[in-house]
Amino acid sequence: MNKVTRILAVVVTCLVIGYFSGMVTRSAITTWYPTLIKPSFNPPNWIFAPVWTTLYVMMGVAAGLVWNRIEEEREAVKKALIFFAIQLALNALWSYLFFGLRNPLLAGLEIIVLWLMIFETYIQFSKINKIAGYLFIPYIAWVSFAAVLNGSIWWLNRAP
């Protein structure tokens, strides 16, 4: 498989996972989510789809660049891609916990583990390909913001 094919394969995988995560989110966005008290810094709903699409593309490009080094650094690449797969699964799980189960507390706890896995993936990717590492920085920043937002929503809506 050549570099472009690898990148495209992972980008498509990320977008498909994002699409299925979005399916869990869609119904809750119009029913449950509007009933929540949200902090003043809560972005408008329309911003999430383009941000996540961009982040999934960047994640996929990063993973494809790392995968492309499999012949030269087999063990490091395998390790990095395992962390990538774990964080991608946790990313999808967050949507299910927050929107599917409507459980901001559980989602808030999970997003901490997600953030740690993203950070470890960033470290592993950076060792193999600097550009792949750089492509993860906006993702880390967005999930950091999402963690604060998640925690704020839980706090504002917790039972008295």
Side-chain angles (χ1 to χ4, degrees):
M1 218 185 284
N2 69 26
K3 182 179 186 176
V4 172
T5 306
R6 286 177 172 152
I7 290 171
L8 286 175
V10 188
V11 167
V12 168
T13 299
C14 290
L15 290 171
V16 167
I17 288 172
Y19 175 80
F20 285 114
S21 295
M23 287 176 61
V24 174
T25 303
R26 277 184 204 91
S27 65
I29 284 290
T30 58
T31 56
W32 171 71
Y33 192 69
T35 68
L36 296 174
I37 303 164
K38 293 175 220 51
S40 60
F41 57 88
N42 191 74
N45 289 345
W46 64 264
I47 199 83
F48 291 95
V51 167
W52 276 112
T53 301
T54 302
L55 292 173
Y56 284 128
V57 169
M58 292 172 77
M59 272 189 254
V61 171
L65 291 171
V66 167
W67 185 12
N68 197 52
R69 301 281 307 156
I70 192 80
E71 272 72 31
E72 296 80 13
E73 303 178 65
R74 180 166 301 280
E75 290 310 310
V77 168
K78 284 169 56 177
K79 180 180 177 182
L81 292 177
I82 288 169
F83 279 108
F84 178 80
I86 292 168
Q87 70 77 28
L88 193 58
L90 289 169
N91 180 304
L93 179 60
W94 182 89
S95 294
Y96 175 73
L97 296 175
F98 190 92
F99 291 106
L101 295 181
R102 300 177 178 187
N103 192 330
L105 175 59
L106 191 55
L109 296 172
E110 191 268 1
I111 205 170
I112 295 166
V113 178
L114 170 59
W115 191 95
L116 291 169
M117 287 297 110
I118 294 167
F119 188 72
E120 185 60 32
T121 304
Y122 160 75
I123 290 169
Q124 297 303 319
F125 277 20
S126 294
K127 291 177 186 175
I128 296 163
N129 182 298
K130 293 291 181 209
I131 293 169
Y134 295 145
L135 286 168
F136 254 62
I137 292 172
Y139 181 32
I140 292 168
W142 183 257
V143 172
S144 298
F145 170 73
V148 171
L149 183 59
N150 186 145
S152 299
I153 289 171
W154 168 76
W155 181 261
L156 292 169
N157 293 278
R158 71 193 186 287

